[in-house]
Amino acid sequence: MQHTARPAADDLRVVLDHWHHMRALIDTARPRTGAEYLRALDAHDAVETALDRTAAAPAEREHLVLAEQPAPLRLHVVDACRAVEIALCSIADEIAAEVQRSPISPPRRAIAGDEAALDLDLLAMRDAVDERRWRYNLGERTALRAAEWLLARLHDEAGPFLPLDEAQRARIGRIAREAARRIERTVGIEQRRAYPMDDRPCPWCGATLTMHRGGSDADTVTCENGYDCGAPVPVVEGRRTWAAPHELVALEQALAADAHRRKRAEARRRQRAAAKTSMDADAAA
């Protein structure tokens, strides 16, 4: 079942709204952090290697027992944070390389009394510290900073940038969508959302269909016309509702058939318009 995707800007807002929840999951984990756990394993491996080199007897090895070191419960959260951060910073790098204007170059040497050179130097200094710029250094390579910067680009906010083209918006959208889904799954806040299917009206009454998905419930589609719609599915809370798998399959088939009919009708309309134009041209001649 096709549906209208959540806008990329909304996906980036999921990152901004819930990143601190991700960090909290790590910070409130067991006292033994992921880093401490890995250091303990490294230390244990180093001792074992030393014993191997000295050909220690089996009896000596029995005393080298790694205490129960259960992996921190939140390592999956660490993995999710790293994956989201790397993905968002990488797409920000790519987009910045394409749309961000190079910094203004200061004058090569100052000339006393040259006001134009002084103005250029001041302009270059301001441009170099412009907070709207995406920075490639490690200090600002965070998921939050990348999400904020990408969101500003999607909104065409002012700055030393060219406007995004549709291909760039689509690339940001793909990464933002996956980042939001990863965060929602990790934090456990995958909410049920409604996606209007504006380009696919109800085949029975022509009203707007809405896809409902997310959360723990299965996907459903509703028609806003309710009892005024003749679709062969139940009315739930005032809306015709496709919920069972066979109902959704039948709806998809009906939508495909309706799209085919509309396409043929549009083709016939164009043919009639072309024929009328030709007849009018012949009559004028």
Side-chain angles (χ1 to χ4, degrees), residues 63-175:
H63 296 290
L64 180 66
V65 178
L66 180 63
E68 289 297 323
Q69 301 283 355
L73 296 177
R74 308 305 173 104
L75 282 180
H76 72 287
V77 183
V78 176
D79 289 340
C81 286
R82 289 188 63 190
V84 169
E85 194 155 69
I86 290 171
L88 290 176
C89 288
S90 295
I91 189 63
D93 285 344
E94 293 178 19
I95 299 299
E98 296 169 11
V99 305
Q100 185 166 269
R101 173 179 52 74
S102 299
I104 296 173
S105 299
R108 294 186 177 180
R109 58 181 180 178
I111 302 175
D114 188 342
E115 293 187 3
L118 291 174
D119 290 342
L120 180 59
D121 187 47
L122 180 60
L123 188 61
M125 290 174 57
R126 289 175 176 172
D127 192 44
V129 298
D130 190 338
E131 294 184 354
R132 297 171 298 180
R133 284 185 171 278
W134 172 250
R135 310 289 177 180
Y136 298 94
N137 58 54
L138 296 177
E140 295 193 20
R141 296 183 65 80
T142 67
L144 283 178
R145 171 59 180 154
E148 290 171 348
W149 188 85
L150 292 167
L151 187 60
R153 301 289 67 73
L154 289 174
H155 288 164
D156 292 323
E157 292 185 9
F161 315 103
L162 296 171
L164 298 177
D165 60 29
E166 290 306 313
Q168 290 162 342
R169 289 179 178 275
R171 281 157 53 199
I172 293 173
R174 287 194 296 271
I175 299 301

Side-chain angles (χ1 to χ4, degrees), residues 34-282:
E36 291 170 342
Y37 173 71
L38 294 176
R39 282 197 296 270
L41 291 182
D42 289 341
H44 178 264
D45 291 342
V47 174
E48 276 204 328
T49 300
L51 287 176
D52 286 339
R53 289 176 178 172
T54 58
E60 294 179 76
R61 289 184 175 279
E62 290 178 1
H63 296 290
L64 180 66
V65 178
L66 180 63
E68 289 297 323
Q69 301 283 355
L73 296 177
R74 308 305 173 104
L75 282 180
H76 72 287
V77 183
V78 176
D79 289 340
C81 286
R82 289 188 63 190
V84 169
E85 194 155 69
I86 290 171
L88 290 176
C89 288
S90 295
I91 189 63
D93 285 344
E94 293 178 19
I95 299 299
E98 296 169 11
V99 305
Q100 185 166 269
R101 173 179 52 74
S102 299
I104 296 173
S105 299
R108 294 186 177 180
R109 58 181 180 178
I111 302 175
D114 188 342
E115 293 187 3
L118 291 174
D119 290 342
L120 180 59
D121 187 47
L122 180 60
L123 188 61
M125 290 174 57
R126 289 175 176 172
D127 192 44
V129 298
D130 190 338
E131 294 184 354
R132 297 171 298 180
R133 284 185 171 278
W134 172 250
R135 310 289 177 180
Y136 298 94
N137 58 54
L138 296 177
E140 295 193 20
R141 296 183 65 80
T142 67
L144 283 178
R145 171 59 180 154
E148 290 171 348
W149 188 85
L150 292 167
L151 187 60
R153 301 289 67 73
L154 289 174
H155 288 164
D156 292 323
E157 292 185 9
F161 315 103
L162 296 171
L164 298 177
D165 60 29
E166 290 306 313
Q168 290 162 342
R169 289 179 178 275
R171 281 157 53 199
I172 293 173
R174 287 194 296 271
I175 299 301
R177 181 164 55 251
E178 290 306 315
R181 287 177 178 172
R182 185 75 181 264
I183 288 176
E184 288 175 332
R185 287 196 301 268
T186 305
V187 179
I189 51 140
E190 192 170 8
Q191 300 174 357
R192 194 158 184 80
R193 300 178 184 274
Y195 303 92
M197 300 167 60
D198 296 326
D199 58 338
R200 309 184 81 194
C202 177
W204 284 270
C205 68
T208 299
L209 295 176
T210 301
M211 166 74 77
H212 306 268
R213 68 187 316 158
S216 59
D217 295 331
D219 293 353
T220 61
V221 176
T222 60
C223 174
E224 62 182 2
N225 263 356
Y227 288 102
D228 292 331
C229 174
V233 290
V235 174
V236 179
E237 296 181 354
R239 292 171 175 250
R240 290 287 178 189
T241 302
W242 291 260
H246 71 276
E247 293 172 345
L248 292 170
V249 170
L251 174 59
E252 182 64 31
Q253 293 171 344
L255 286 168
D258 185 57
H260 181 66
R261 286 193 298 270
R262 286 189 284 113
K263 185 176 180 179
R264 290 185 61 185
E266 178 62 21
R268 288 195 297 269
R269 188 194 65 77
R270 287 197 301 268
Q271 289 174 352
R272 286 194 295 269
K276 185 177 184 304
T277 300
S278 178
M279 291 174 60
D280 291 344
D282 291 342

